[in-house]
Every structure is written in structure tokens, then in C-alpha cells.
């Protein structure tokens, strides 16, 4: 292969470093461990819909009728993006799925009495299956799976998807984004992150999907330490 000169070699050192940082890819499979309490807000990328696990798009309700839509974990993994996406967020403790799990696990409210459960049933009733559930009975079984997961984390501690599935599902971890100021924003994995917060888990494994261009340009480390 013919040697090629660095096309940015003529730039002043500071600008050269900034350019190289912006070009530096982030490995989408790198697992980092963070305190769940550091993830305080939810990425609201659009005003449309959330991505369900079956790859289709369905509404997931949040405060003031804002609908959460995070970045796709595959298509956007490792991306550096500019724009206002990191400023369009809602507090995680107001995010309807988290509120539903908190009401159920912390307050002892039955699933059917939570707004989260009713919103999902509304989706299913209106012809939008979620997580492979086409009936309320199937979704109730899904909630029972969440009960078992919560109990297992409480007894055994939080385990990564790789540990549970022999590393076969590399994308199946809590996914976050990094905003321009280094704040961590939730992207996907709402049930696991909610449980980790409710059970006061010290750290959880996460993958970074998108980083804001201003963070990458202005910071030497690839990931904010605090």
C-alpha cells in the first residue's frame, strides 16, 4: 500500500488534536461501568416513538405527551453527532416506565394499577404488539418475568448480559449517550436501569451509542469519568 501523508498535518497542533478526536471512532462494544445515579435524563431524539425490542416502532408515553425515541443501537452505534439532541431530554425519574416500576416494586402497587401498564395495554389493544406480546395475558407474563428479574438482582446482584448469555448478545446492555457537557443520557434498557436504581446497585455495565461533537472536540478522554 502506498504511504499517504496526513492531510491534516499542516494544522496548528491544537486544531490537529481536535480534528483527530472528531475522527476517532468509539468501539460500540466497549463495556463501561457507571453508577446508575449518574444517568439522570432520558434522550428525546424525536417527538415520535420509541423502538420496541422487535425492531418496530411503537409509542411509549412520557410526561406532557412527549414520546421517547432513542438512537438505534446498531445504526448509530459509535456515532459523533452535533445538534441539539442532547438538550431535548426529560428527567429519568419522570419517565413513565421508571415511574411504573417504582410504583410496583417500591410502593407495592399491582402492575395493572400503573400508568405504564395501562399505556402498554392501550398499544396492544390498538394493534401495536410490544416485546412479542399481542394480548394482555401475554404482557402480564412479561411483567411476571420482570418480577423474577428484580428478585434475582436483589438476591444475586446485577449481572451483565454477557454473563447471562455467554456474551452472545453484545448489544443487550443498558445503552447511554454522552451530551456536550459530559452528562450521561439514557438511551435503551429502561427496565434494567430502573431496577438498578431502585435496588441501589453501585454500578451497571453500559454501552455508549452516541457522543456529542462538542464533548468529543473538547475532551481528551473518550468517556467522562465523573
Amino acid at each position: 500500500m502506498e504511504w499517504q501523508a496526513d492531510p491534516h498535518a499542516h494544522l496548528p497542533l491544537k486544531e490537529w488534536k481536535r480534528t483527530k478526536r472528531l475522527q476517532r471512532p468509539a468501539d460500540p462494544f466497549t463495556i463501561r461501568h457507571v453508577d446508575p445515579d449518574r444517568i439522570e435524563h432520558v434522550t428525546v431524539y424525536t417527538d415520535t416513538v420509541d423502538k420496541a425490542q422487535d425492531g418496530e416502532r411503537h409509542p411509549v408515553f412520557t410526561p406532557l405527551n412527549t414520546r421517547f425515541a432513542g438512537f438505534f443501537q446498531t445504526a448509530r452505534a459509535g456515532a459523533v453527532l452535533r445538534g441539539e439532541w442532547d438538550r431535548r431530554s426529560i428527567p429519568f425519574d419522570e419517565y413513565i416506565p421508571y415511574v411504573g416500576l417504582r410504583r410496583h416494586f417500591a410502593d407495592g402497587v399491582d402492575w395493572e394499577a400503573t400508568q405504564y401498564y395501562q399505556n402498554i395495554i392501550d398499544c396492544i389493544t390498538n394493534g401495536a404488539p410490544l416485546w412479542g406480546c399481542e394480548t394482555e395475558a401475554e404482557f402480564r407474563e412479561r411483567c411476571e418475568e420482570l418480577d423474577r428479574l428484580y428478585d434475582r438482582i436483589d438476591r444475586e446482584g446485577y449481572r451483565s448480559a454477557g454473563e447471562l448469555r455467554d456474551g452472545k448478545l453484545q448489544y443487550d446492555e443498558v445503552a447511554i449517550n454522552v451530551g456536550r457537557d459530559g452528562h450521561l443520557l439514557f438511551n435503551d434498557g429502561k427496565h434494567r436501569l430502573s431496577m438498578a436504581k431502585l435496588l441501589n446497585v453501585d454500578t451497571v455495565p453500559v454501552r455508549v451509542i452516541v457522543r456529542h461533537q462538542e464533548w468529543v472536540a473538547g475532551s481528551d478522554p473518550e468517556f467522562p469519568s465523573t
Side-chain angles (χ1 to χ4, degrees):
M1 179 182 295
E2 182 179 353
W3 179 82
Q4 294 182 346
D6 183 348
H8 305 104
H10 65 285
L11 296 173
L13 180 60
K14 183 176 181 179
E15 186 63 20
W16 180 86
K17 288 183 177 180
R18 178 179 180 276
T19 300
K20 291 304 177 185
R21 282 196 294 269
L22 290 174
Q23 292 179 331
R24 182 178 61 200
D27 182 356
F29 296 116
T30 296
I31 301 300
R32 307 175 189 280
H33 291 79
V34 304
D35 182 340
D37 290 339
R38 288 183 60 192
I39 309 171
E40 297 180 334
H41 287 81
V42 175
T43 302
V44 182
Y45 177 53
T46 71
D47 288 329
T48 53
V49 289
D50 190 13
K51 177 179 72 65
Q53 292 180 7
D54 58 11
E56 297 180 4
R57 288 172 168 252
H58 304 296
V60 174
F61 303 87
T62 49
L64 303 177
N65 294 321
T66 302
R67 294 175 177 178
F68 162 64
F71 294 103
F72 282 101
Q73 292 200 55
T74 50
R76 289 295 193 177
V80 175
L81 299 179
R82 60 184 180 181
E84 299 299 306
W85 61 266
D86 62 324
R87 288 180 170 169
R88 302 175 63 195
S89 64
I90 58 172
F92 193 88
D93 61 7
E94 295 178 11
Y95 184 37
I96 288 296
Y98 172 73
V99 173
L101 268 67
R102 184 180 65 204
R103 292 269 291 154
H104 177 69
F105 291 118
D107 300 336
V109 174
D110 195 73
W111 282 112
E112 287 89 341
T114 67
Q115 188 64 48
Y116 178 51
Y117 183 95
Q118 294 302 321
N119 287 344
I120 298 300
I121 296 306
D122 286 346
C123 291
I124 293 174
T125 301
N126 291 324
L130 288 173
W131 304 299
C133 302
E134 298 182 353
T135 66
E136 181 170 357
E138 291 175 343
F139 183 65
R140 180 69 198 191
E141 291 181 4
R142 168 67 171 163
C143 291
E144 291 172 358
E145 291 178 3
L146 295 178
D147 287 335
R148 290 191 288 272
L149 175 59
Y150 185 88
D151 290 341
R152 191 192 69 215
I153 295 175
D154 192 21
R155 292 193 315 271
E156 304 174 6
Y158 191 102
R159 299 170 62 189
S160 70
E163 291 175 311
L164 295 173
R165 299 178 176 85
D166 297 323
K168 294 180 180 178
L169 294 179
Q170 292 176 294
Y171 280 102
D172 198 21
E173 299 287 2
V174 171
I176 63 172
N177 306 308
V178 179
R180 72 190 68 200
D181 53 7
H183 288 167
L184 308 184
L185 307 171
F186 169 76
N187 188 81
D188 197 20
K190 50 186 170 284
H191 297 135
R192 284 162 290 164
L193 180 59
S194 294
M195 292 179 189
K197 285 175 174 285
L198 291 170
L199 289 168
N200 296 313
V201 172
D202 291 334
T203 64
V204 294
V206 300
R207 290 193 315 107
V208 178
I209 306 303
V210 170
R211 295 173 298 155
H212 198 281
Q213 186 183 72
E214 290 187 22
W215 161 259
V216 176
S219 175
D220 286 328
E222 189 175 281
F223 186 78
S225 59
T226 58

